[in-house]
Every structure is written in structure tokens, then in C-alpha cells.
Amino acid sequence: WDFLILFFCLPVVIFNEITKKRLLGDVSCRIVPFMEVSSLGVTTFSLCALGIDRFHAATSPQVSTRPIEQCQSIIAKLAVIWVGSMTLSVPEILLWQLAQDTSPVSGVMTEYCTMKPSSNLPESIYSLVLTYQNARMWWYFGCYFCLPILFTISCQLVTRRIRSTEKKSECRGPKHGQCESHLNCTIIALTIIYGLCTTPENVCNIVVAYMSPDMSKRTLDLLNLINQFFLFFKCSVTPVLLLCLCRPLGQAFMDCCCCCCEGCGPDTASSEGSADSKLKTEMSSSIFFDKPRETPPPLLALGTPC
């Protein structure tokens, strides 16, 4: 979803700031806010799911008793996160619309997006969208800011409490305990980045809600632009942070890139070296993601086919 934000929303915003014309017209006015709010929802619920996963990893008696999660289960969780986030963002499609105004400086007709429900909506839907608009500020602050931060902090505190009281590290081994600590640090880093990038938007929403009559339209547009670029910064930093902190994921990403660059016919020496590196990656990832293995897998079963 971060890549969707960067490849679709960022060009639309930049084009609008340069030409003062809205790319794709009224469609972009509705889709861009919908995707941006959905991005906040995906990150929020993903952090909550990761916190629950770390809690289960800390409360399991032994590594060997924790079953490997099936791919269907993971896809189902991702589907719930994505569909739930997009469902909660549907009011954004009905809330925004395209407007035109003449610039007092240049005298040129400019297009901009305004937060105003269309009067053509049915009365029941119009009242619901209007209610959402009035509660939008506190909904943003409570669901997309307080929920992921408080949930992550709570899960980390409970996890540390359980580990300190029951001394799980004795039955898990020092290497596995170190990998779990590394995963916890990754989740904390993701939460910190998310909190820092969403704080300006929540502060601006609260300030604008109480001081909007005293602020000019140019100031409001500038604040909205700053908030959008903080979101773009979060979407660009999060994948890099994951690839750097999560070593097996980063190594798998590099292996895929090398496979695409080198082609499907490497020589014998390079294939042996890549097989050794993939064996180490597979063994480290099996420990890193709580996947127990008693014996290393055969070399022929390793790697990703080109």
C-alpha cells in the first residue's frame, strides 16, 4: 500500500501544485484522500497484528510447540486488514469534491479539492457523511494515532513482563531470544516512524478545527500539503526500514534482485556461493520468524526460481 501511495498519489499532488490543475479531475479528488486514509488504516491494523503476533511468540511455552502458520491464514489476515481499512475509508469518497476558483494573485482559474458532501446524495447518506465530517478529526486522532501507539506499547510491556517473570529465554535459547528482541525492535521502530509522521497532521487538524475562521485559504492549503508530504515520507521510509532491520527479508529481496539481474544461467562457482548464502538465509529466517527446524534442508530445495 505504501508503493501505491507513492506511485499514484504523489504524482497527482505534485502535478496539482505545479499546474494548479487537478489530474484526473474529480476522480483524483476522491481517490487520493481515500487511498491516504486507507494507508493509515493498513498501517494501524498491521501494527496491531504484529503486536499480537509478538505476544503469542512470548507466551508460547517452547518454540517447538508453536506451529508454523499456513499461507492461507496469513493471506486471510492481510485481507481482513486491507478490506477493513478500505471499508472505513469509504466516507472519504463521498466527502470530497472538485471546486474551481480564480486566484487573487495571478487571476488564473485554479482547481482544488474541498471537503464538502455533494447535495445530490440521498438524505440518509448525506446525513451520515456530514456526521463523519464533524467527527473526522477525533476519529483520526483516536483510531489512526492513539490506537496503534497505545496498542504497541501495551503489547511490548506485557511481553517484557511475561519474559521477566517466566524466564522464557532459558527454554528458547540465547540465539532465538536475540532474534525475538530484534523483531520487537523492528516493530517499535515502525511505530516511532508512524507516530512522528502522523503527529503534524493530527496537530494541524485540531488547530484548524478551532482556528479555521481566522486562517486564510492559502495557509490551510499549505498545512494540507505539509501533511501529505509527511505521509509520503512515511510511505517511503517504511519499506527501507523493513529491508534494513529485517535481515532475512532484506536478504531475500537482494537475492530476487540478483536473480533478475544475472539471468537464469549463472556459472558453477557463483551458484555454489549463492547456494551457501541462501542456506544461511533460510536457516536464519527459520529462527527469526519462529519456524523450528531440527535439520537443515537440502541444498536443492533452497532459493527462489527465476
Side-chain angles (χ1 to χ4, degrees):
W1 199 272
D2 289 334
F3 284 115
L4 290 177
I5 293 292
L6 293 176
F7 291 139
F8 180 77
C9 297
L10 181 59
V12 171
V13 173
I14 293 178
F15 182 85
N16 180 58
E17 290 300 318
I18 294 177
T19 63
K20 300 303 179 183
K21 298 291 183 181
R22 197 71 187 183
L23 188 64
L24 301 179
D26 188 65
V27 176
S28 66
C29 275
R30 301 176 185 273
I31 297 299
V32 170
F34 169 76
M35 294 185 64
E36 290 176 349
V37 177
S38 298
S39 174
L40 298 178
V42 169
T43 307
T44 295
F45 300 135
S46 297
L47 289 175
C48 293
L50 290 173
I52 294 175
D53 180 75
R54 290 296 89 206
F55 176 76
H56 286 321
T59 54
S60 59
Q62 291 181 353
V63 181
S64 58
T65 60
R66 191 183 183 205
I68 300 175
E69 190 171 8
Q70 299 296 325
C71 182
Q72 292 82 356
S73 176
I74 298 176
I75 293 177
K77 292 179 181 179
L78 292 176
V80 170
I81 291 174
W82 279 45
V83 173
S85 302
M86 289 187 290
T87 302
L88 293 176
S89 306
V90 168
E92 295 288 331
I93 300 178
L94 305 176
L95 182 62
W96 295 85
Q97 60 179 331
L98 184 67
Q100 294 180 347
D101 192 12
T102 303
S103 175
V105 179
S106 59
V108 180
M109 183 70 67
T110 59
E111 297 179 346
Y112 62 95
C113 297
T114 179
M115 190 186 299
K116 181 181 179 182
S118 176
S119 58
N120 298 326
L121 294 174
E123 185 177 355
S124 58
I125 298 179
Y126 181 83
S127 60
L128 290 176
V129 175
L130 199 61
T131 303
Y132 173 81
Q133 180 182 2
N134 296 329
R136 186 174 183 269
M137 176 190 65
W138 297 112
W139 171 252
Y140 251 71
F141 182 74
C143 181
Y144 298 138
F145 182 76
C146 295
L147 178 62
I149 294 178
L150 295 179
F151 198 93
T152 303
I153 294 175
S154 301
C155 288
Q156 292 297 322
L157 292 178
V158 173
T159 301
R160 292 178 182 272
R161 180 73 174 178
I162 292 175
R163 286 180 180 175
S164 61
T165 54
E166 299 184 5
K167 298 180 180 179
K168 294 291 183 179
S169 59
E170 294 181 359
C171 61
R172 292 169 179 267
K175 188 174 182 180
H176 184 79
Q178 182 180 3
C179 291
E180 284 193 346
S181 300
H182 193 75
L183 267 179
N184 290 330
C185 293
T186 303
I187 297 175
I188 293 175
L190 292 175
T191 306
I192 291 175
I193 292 296
Y194 178 74
L196 292 177
C197 294
T198 54
T199 297
E201 182 174 6
N202 286 277
V203 172
C204 290
N205 288 338
I206 296 175
V207 171
V208 169
Y210 294 101
M211 299 180 59
S212 56
D214 301 331
M215 302 176 68
S216 62
K217 181 181 178 300
R218 187 173 182 179
T219 304
L220 295 176
D221 293 340
L222 180 61
L223 291 177
N224 185 39
L225 183 63
I226 293 174
N227 295 333
Q228 284 185 315
F229 274 97
F230 267 107
L231 177 63
F232 298 147
F233 177 77
K234 189 270 296 181
C235 292
S236 60
V237 168
T238 300
V240 177
L241 187 66
L242 277 175
L243 293 176
C244 293
L245 294 182
C246 190
R247 289 170 292 180
L249 180 63
Q251 185 63 40
F253 181 79
M254 295 302 297
D255 290 343
C256 290
C257 292
C258 294
C259 179
C260 295
C261 294
E262 294 176 1
C264 296
D267 55 1
T268 306
S270 62
S271 63
E272 291 178 356
S274 62
D276 294 339
S277 63
K278 290 173 182 177
L279 174 61
K280 295 178 182 179
T281 304
E282 181 72 17
M283 295 177 65
S284 62
S285 63
S286 64
I287 300 174
F288 196 76
F289 291 106
D290 304 320
K291 294 182 179 180
R293 289 186 186 271
E294 296 182 359
T295 59
L299 292 178
L300 295 178
L302 292 177
T304 303
C306 296

